[in-house]
Amino acid sequence: MKERLYEILNEERLHEIVPFLKQLSAEEKQTLVPTIKKMDREINKIIMTKNSYHTAGSVNQHAIIDIASFVCMDQKNFGKNYWSLFRNIEQTEQILEWGCPDWFSDFINDSIDAEFTAFNYQHILGWTEKGYIQPKPELLGHHLSNYPADLDQHPETLSTHFWYLCEYPSKSLPFQKEWFPLVQKLVAEQKIERTRFLKECLLASNRNFNKNVTGWFMDAFTALKPTEDELIELQDELMAGLTSAQSKAVNTILIHLKKMVGSPAFKHEEFAHYLPNLLSMEVKTVVMSSLTLTEKIFQHRKVNPEILGLALTSAFVSKDDGIQSKAAKIILKYIPPSETIKESISHYSDNILTNVRSLLETYIEEKPQELEAIVSEKIILTTDENKVKVLENFEDLMFFLPLAIEDPYSHHCDTALSGFARFANDVDEESVKLIEPVFLKACKTIAKWEVPYLNVLLCNLIINYGLNLLEKYPVQLKNLNKIYEKTSNEETTREAYSNYHKKLGPITKVGAGSPVMKAFKELAIFTDEKIKAGDSVPLLFAITHAPCWISPVTLVERLEVYQNKNIEPHHLDMQLALQRCALDNTSEALQLAEKKLKGEYKDLLLFFFGKNTEPKGKVEHPAWWMTAGITRSPGKVFKEFGSFGYDTIPTEFFSGIYQWKTIDSKKNSYYPAELNIVIPKYHFEKRKNPLLLEYFIAEPRELSETIGMMWCFPNTLGSALAKVIKSCLFYSGIAEVYERNLVLNTAQALYQVKKPLDEMGYLFLGTIFLDGDKTIRGTAAEIWLEHVSHKMIDNTRLGKVIGTHEKLEWAPVKRFTDLIQHQMLNVSKNHNIALEELISTILLQMDKPITNLKKLLEVYHEVLALNQSQANKKVIEKLKDWKENSSLKKICNHLLKN
């Protein structure tokens, strides 16, 4: 039986597969399932050619396996293959006639979750008639959505299935352009009941459809032009739609409610229940439309002012001047200042803008609480709070390694490597069993297609360590062989791909696709050699404080160990340790270095810690001294280093200062401006004393290792930030997930480093203030808040970056003004003063009014009022010109009066 199936497959006898399957019993079909699965794997193996790839099986062979799978397997084994078998629908019909599986109905009903099916609504109707399936309403609605044709062939299509379409539409419905005119035609011909369809359109607002589908039903409702009588009849559905999560639905419903507001039947008290939620929405058009409708109710109806008045105070949750002003004017005109209204407004007192507060004097009794100036404290980079765990024994190491695998770009990795070097050989017959779950996790992680490179190295170390232990403890670790064999077989399959880098085997053989990966690999090899040699001398580069710092005192203590044991540090280990050293408080370390160290170690650290402003002493390791100079004084050129041979490296990589400009984007009308930054090209040079820096700046530059680079150069982040800016921030709305995630991760890393910004730091922060992603902008605000609190930011430098971008409308200025109102305004007196300086500088960069400048000026006006100060004198000169613009006249005059 198996041999016969192999014969049909190998000789591609497609015409013989159905007769062969017909003669099999149910038990025989079940017996063939493992064979069919094996055949399927064989014909689906990828064959690489020079320019492309294809599967091992032919078209006929795939068809043979598809048919055999369908006939012999149950639903679980067959899976959700909705296209292969149905490519030849006639052939499928023939198979169903003599052997329809009992699971076929469930299988077809589940097809609404499939991305693509090769069958349609008409096929489903045919299979239903023949009794093959019992279709669910969801199935019929979904597939009818994608089939706007032949609607008169079956009476149940319009009488029943069309209403399933309204309740269970396909997400593709809006893109089936034929449906829109077709529905209008069917309603006009009375083949679809008009009132029922109008009601279904409104119910769509709360059915959790995506915004395109919801929008389609809203457009359909509007296109049918419901009369006032119809709107009154559908009033309950209209009101219920006001709770929709889709702003398109809410806005559409508000438009129709306005048409009936003058009718005695309009339920204004019921509307008042929905009003607070409407006024709390983030979508300004919804809020303004709700306020307009509220005003119309007051104009057309005699109502109890407090019912709507209490709801109306919710508008002050927004810090938008337009919203607050409109709400205030309605209150002043229609709502008396009763105690109830006053109390309700008092809940929002701290949020009410200064100019609006003056309008509502009779409604607001208490004065706003004056903000206090916060006492700023200097951030210390190495404290007890951010000290990382020190592993105490082998058991600690085994429990900690999984954390490092989960998050390789964190201090966990350093702690794990330090523990490896110290405790790898502290193992016995009992404790060795702890390696098995760690080994399994490392194998599962490294077996994935996409694995961060530091994870590859760490997992490789763990796996090789486990295999070494297996030789010593074969009984205790007998399962490791099976685990490793499976992982190794998977890698062997992948090695057929030309772009695959080897992950298993000796760490020296692990692939490294870029210079930065080679640097990480060299450090991993060094660590591996220490483990094998039983060398417990501490790694210099292992951090002592999160996220990436080494205490200067610990650095001195570690170097003393090397000095006393007469061991020369690995060149990359030493450089990385210097780059990670926290230089904000070095007095104790300086005293210790003078007391404990001698020779080059002592001279190097006296220079590095700043006692010697210029390098002094004998230089035996130029790379150490160059690294120390770059790390402590990035922009300074030491003449003593002139003979080291590093003058072939562009100076930008030492200083972290790159040329940049914001320019008109002629080539892309969607983005009016483009951010250009110039990063020189540099190719790795073989030299006697290479800098660790060279691995990170050399072509090709590895973008995926950016966060690792930041943790390697926390004192000099310029080059890492410049790379992210060039690759991910040239336009303001890059939508790709990879770029967005990289920018967010970089911003979060910058927040964790907690150092004053350098030139690229200001460019990066100013740029992400305007980013299209809300979370990224929020992170920018958090960085600004903390830097202002600790007096380590220059708002003039930051303002010049933002103003230079917005001068050319690099991004909608609303992104920035919303961020100010929601996160940056009124945090403290210090922050308001900093905000005034920031906005003043932004305005000074602008020559002519830009879109939404009015909003920025309104925020500026509010900040000035809070600070009880006047506009910057140079800004005043610009305001005199800008007030000629009709949309800016009012706000400019307000600012000039102050």
Side-chain angles (χ1 to χ4, degrees), residues 817-865:
T817 54
D818 284 353
L819 194 64
I820 292 174
Q821 290 180 319
H822 292 128
Q823 280 184 256
M824 299 162 68
L825 189 65
N826 254 1
V827 174
S828 76
K829 196 170 184 179
N830 311 51
H831 289 87
N832 283 349
I833 291 168
L835 204 49
E836 180 181 334
E837 183 183 3
L838 180 63
I839 299 173
S840 293
T841 309
I842 293 169
L843 294 171
L844 287 173
Q845 310 312 306
M846 297 182 185
D847 301 322
K848 57 185 180 181
I850 63 168
T851 305
N852 247 332
L853 178 60
K854 178 186 174 186
K855 184 66 182 172
L856 183 59
L857 292 173
E858 286 172 351
V859 173
Y860 186 45
H861 181 253
E862 176 66 13
V863 173
L864 291 174

Side-chain angles (χ1 to χ4, degrees), residues 720-787:
L721 296 177
K723 187 162 62 169
V724 175
I725 292 165
K726 185 173 181 66
S727 302
C728 306
L729 293 172
F730 43 92
Y731 294 137
S732 69
I734 301 300
E736 281 75 9
V737 173
Y738 177 78
E739 282 81 358
R740 208 167 58 233
N741 286 343
L742 180 57
V743 172
L744 177 59
N745 291 337
T746 304
Q748 290 170 339
L750 183 62
Y751 176 73
Q752 292 177 64
V753 168
K754 300 187 188 306
K755 273 181 64 74
L757 302 172
D758 57 13
E759 189 72 21
M760 289 301 100
Y762 281 107
L763 178 59
F764 179 79
L765 182 61
T767 303
I768 65 171
F769 261 123
L770 306 168
D771 195 87
D773 185 276
K774 191 175 180 180
T775 308
I776 292 172
R777 295 198 303 275
T779 307
E782 291 299 322
I783 294 171
W784 182 83
L785 290 169
E786 183 170 72
H787 279 61

Side-chain angles (χ1 to χ4, degrees), residues 542-562:
I543 66 171
T544 60
H545 292 75
C548 53
W549 298 112
I550 295 174
S551 158
V553 170
T554 303
L555 179 60
V556 175
E557 291 170 345
R558 288 174 180 172
L559 286 175
E560 185 188 5
V561 174
Y562 278 76

